[in-house]
Amino acid sequence: MRAPSASSMTSSGLGKSLECVNVVVRCRPLNHKEVSDGHSSCVEMFPNRGLVEIKNPALGPTDPLKTFTFDAVYDCNSKQMDLYAESFAPLVDSVLDGFNGTIFAYGQTGTGKTYTMEGVKDDPGQRGVIPNSFDHIFNHISKSENQQYLVRASYLEIYLEDVRDLLAKDQTKALELKERPDTGIYVKDLSSFVCKSVSEIEHVMAVGNQNRSVGKTEMNEHSSRSHAIFIITVECSELDAEGQAHIRVGKLNLVDLAGSERQAKTGAVGDRLKEATKINLSLSALGNVIASLVDGKSSHVPYRDSKLTRLLQDSLGGNARTVMVANLGPASYNYEESVTTLRFANRAKNIKNKPRINEDPKDALLREFQQEIARLKAQIKTPGEKKERRKKEKKPKKEVADKPGIDRIEDMDASVGHVNGADSEEPEMESEESE
C-alpha cells in the first residue's frame, strides 16, 4: 500500500503553517447481489500510484477513462490494519501530542463506510479505524513516563437534523449547538465519560451503537440513517524543567457519515424517505462548504446551513488535522454515484487547515482533578485549619458542569461505573497516571 504523501501531513513546523486535508479512497469488492444481477466493475485502483480510474459503462472500449489521484488508494484486497497504520495512525499520534484531529468516511450508501470506521468487533483482523484508535491511544498511555493522562468519550448522532446524545437516558431530547470564542463549536449538555481502559471506552461505544438510528433499504440491509460522531478527548499533564505542570488537550472526532441515496435505487418510502431527504440535504451542505473553501473567491463559507457542517467547522478549514476516506462501490450501475464521490474527494484534498497544539487550555478537566487532589491532601496534612478553610470556601465554587459539554466530576465517574456494569462501589476520582 502507498503511504500518505508527506506534503499533506508533515511533522515539521506543526501548527505554524497551512496543512491540506489528507484524502484516501477505498473501493469494496462487488457484493453477491451485484454479481448475481450481472453487474461488472467500472473502477480500477492503482495503490502504488495513488491513482483511481473509472470507466463510463455507456461508452465504448476506446473512450477515455476518468482518472483521479489521491494521497493513498486502497483496493478491494486492502486490509483494515494496513489502512489504519498508513493513513490514520499519524493523525492519532498528533492528537496525543495535543492537536485536534478528525477522521471521516464519505460515500454512497452501501459502500463500506461503517465497515471502514467500525469493522467487525469479534475479528481482530477486521477491526475498523475506531477500535484501532482505542488500542493506539491506551497503548501509548501505558508506555508513557512522567505524564498524567485523562481520556473522555462522547457519542452523538445527527438524525433528521436533530443532534442527539447517544449516551443519554432520554433519546428524544434534541441538543443545541453553541459557540465559544476560545474553544469554538460545542454541543450543549452532551454527556462525557471518563474512560481508563480500552474495555471501558469500547463499552461506552457499544451503548451508543445500541441507540443509533439504522434501517433497511434495498441497497443496504443495515443502512445508517444518521451521521454519527464519536469524540475522544485526551488531556496530558507533563512537568517542565522548572517543575511546572503544562497541560495539552487533543480531541479526536471519528465521523461515520450516512451515505448519499437515490430514492429510485433504495426504494425508500415513509420514514426512510424522510431520513434520506435530510441526509442528502446535509451532504449537499457539506459539498457547498468544501466548494467555498477551495474556490478561493468566496468571502462566506456556509457552515451554518446544516448541523453537520457546523460541527465539522474546525475540521474543514480550521484548527484540526483531517483525514477523509472516500468509499466507493465498483458496480457499473453505480457509475454516476462513484464519479460524484471521487469529485467530492478531489475537491476536499485542496482544503487548507490551520492546526495548532492546544496547550494549557483554561477548561482542562485534568487541571480540575489536580487542584482538587492538592486541596484534599492539604486538608489531610493540616486538619487544624479546617474551620478557617471553610470560611474562605463559603463562596460557591464553579463546578465542572458549568463548562460546555462536560458533566460534573462526580457524575462522570459514577457514570463510567454504571456504563460498565460496576457495582455500587464508587470509582476513584483522580486521573489515570501512566506507569
Side-chain angles (χ1 to χ4, degrees):
M1 296 299 171
R2 180 175 174 271
S5 65
S7 62
S8 61
M9 185 176 286
T10 59
S11 57
S12 59
L14 287 175
K16 295 182 180 179
S17 60
L18 297 176
E19 179 179 294
C20 288
V21 169
N22 196 34
V23 179
V24 302
V25 175
R26 188 183 200 188
C27 185
R28 64 161 173 79
L30 289 167
N31 60 36
H32 296 302
K33 186 176 186 300
E34 290 165 344
V35 172
S36 63
D37 289 345
H39 296 296
S40 59
S41 176
C42 65
V43 178
E44 192 165 0
M45 315 289 281
F46 299 90
N48 293 331
R49 296 160 57 194
L51 181 71
V52 180
E53 288 184 350
I54 184 165
K55 181 176 179 59
N56 188 338
L59 300 179
T62 58
D63 287 304
L65 305 172
K66 284 185 170 61
T67 61
F68 299 85
T69 57
F70 297 98
D71 295 285
V73 164
Y74 297 88
D75 60 21
C76 61
N77 298 313
S78 61
K79 302 290 190 296
Q80 292 277 66
M81 199 60 213
D82 290 339
L83 179 69
Y84 182 80
E86 295 167 5
S87 291
F88 303 117
L91 184 139
V92 177
D93 283 330
S94 296
V95 171
L96 292 166
D97 288 335
F99 287 91
N100 295 331
T102 296
I103 299 170
F104 73 95
Y106 175 88
Q108 179 192 12
T109 184
T111 52
K113 297 181 299 300
T114 300
Y115 174 75
T116 295
M117 295 302 291
E118 298 182 19
V120 179
K121 180 183 177 183
D122 299 324
D123 186 343
Q126 295 194 66
R127 287 162 60 87
V129 173
I130 295 176
N132 280 322
S133 69
F134 295 165
D135 289 341
H136 187 158
I137 289 168
F138 284 100
N139 282 341
H140 173 89
I141 291 173
S142 68
K143 294 173 184 176
S144 61
E145 297 179 354
N146 303 318
Q147 294 172 325
Q148 284 185 315
Y149 281 89
L150 183 70
V151 179
R152 295 182 272 124
S154 301
Y155 202 4
L156 64 86
E157 74 171 0
I158 305 170
Y159 177 72
L160 296 176
E161 273 302 288
D162 284 334
V163 178
R164 305 196 311 189
D165 186 346
L166 290 172
L167 303 176
K169 292 179 181 178
D170 182 4
Q171 287 295 303
T172 62
K173 183 180 178 182
L175 304 183
E176 296 179 75
L177 298 186
K178 298 288 186 180
E179 184 170 10
R180 287 178 55 187
D182 52 342
T183 57
I185 308 300
Y186 68 93
V187 181
K188 185 181 179 183
D189 298 328
L190 181 66
S191 57
S192 179
F193 296 86
V194 175
C195 301
K196 299 181 180 180
S197 66
V198 172
S199 60
E200 283 192 357
I201 199 168
E202 282 181 340
H203 197 81
V204 168
M205 186 176 184
V207 170
N209 283 340
Q210 290 174 0
N211 295 322
R212 193 175 173 192
S213 302
V214 296
K216 182 178 180 180
T217 70
E218 290 181 12
M219 291 190 69
N220 190 351
E221 189 173 350
H222 303 286
S223 174
S224 300
R225 311 312 294 165
S226 66
H227 307 302
I229 306 179
F230 193 89
I231 305 164
I232 306 172
T233 305
V234 182
E235 299 184 14
C236 175
S237 176
E238 192 170 12
L239 297 178
D240 61 18
E242 298 175 357
Q244 293 290 321
H246 291 280
I247 294 176
R248 60 179 185 265
V249 179
K251 183 184 288 184
L252 178 60
N253 299 306
L254 298 161
V255 186
D256 181 12
L257 297 178
S260 57
E261 299 185 6
R262 289 192 178 183
Q263 192 271 341
K265 290 186 176 181
T266 61
V269 294
D271 288 343
R272 295 288 90 88
L273 183 57
K274 290 179 185 177
E275 294 162 352
T277 302
K278 291 293 186 181
I279 289 167
N280 288 340
L281 283 172
S282 63
L283 292 175
S284 176
L286 178 60
N288 292 337
V289 164
I290 291 175
S292 297
L293 287 168
V294 302
D295 73 359
K297 299 175 184 178
S298 300
S299 57
H300 169 69
V301 180
Y303 290 114
R304 293 179 180 271
D305 284 0
S306 76
K307 301 286 178 63
L308 175 64
T309 50
R310 196 83 169 109
L311 281 169
L312 293 180
Q313 185 167 332
D314 261 349
S315 306
L316 301 170
N319 173 28
R321 307 184 81 177
T322 300
V323 176
M324 169 188 165
V325 53
N327 291 84
L328 299 177
S332 52
Y333 88 118
N334 285 326
Y335 168 79
E336 294 293 342
E337 289 87 346
S338 295
V339 167
T340 299
T341 297
L342 289 168
R343 285 173 176 160
F344 180 96
N346 197 52
R347 286 196 299 271
K349 70 183 184 181
N350 295 310
I351 298 172
K352 292 180 173 60
N353 288 354
K354 300 174 282 292
R356 64 179 184 274
I357 294 176
N358 305 303
E359 294 183 291
D360 294 317
K362 295 177 183 177
D363 60 348
L365 185 59
L366 192 51
R367 183 180 284 110
E368 295 281 350
F369 276 102
Q370 292 172 336
Q371 290 172 349
E372 179 70 6
I373 291 167
R375 187 179 69 82
L376 292 172
K377 284 181 177 178
Q379 283 185 349
I380 293 169
K381 288 179 182 178
T382 57
E385 297 177 7
K386 280 184 180 178
K387 277 188 180 179
E388 190 65 28
R389 188 173 290 104
R390 284 199 193 102
K391 288 179 184 177
K392 291 180 181 178
E393 293 177 355
K394 273 186 180 179
K395 187 177 179 181
K397 293 184 293 181
K398 183 179 180 183
E399 292 185 340
V400 182
D402 295 335
K403 296 172 184 172
I406 302 177
D407 297 338
R408 293 185 305 116
I409 295 173
E410 303 94 292
D411 291 343
M412 274 197 290
D413 282 345
S415 297
V416 170
H418 174 72
V419 168
N420 288 281
D423 55 25
S424 58
E425 184 180 349
E426 192 140 338
E428 293 180 3
M429 296 216 318
E430 57 183 310
S431 58
E432 180 176 14
E433 188 169 1
S434 58
E435 296 177 359

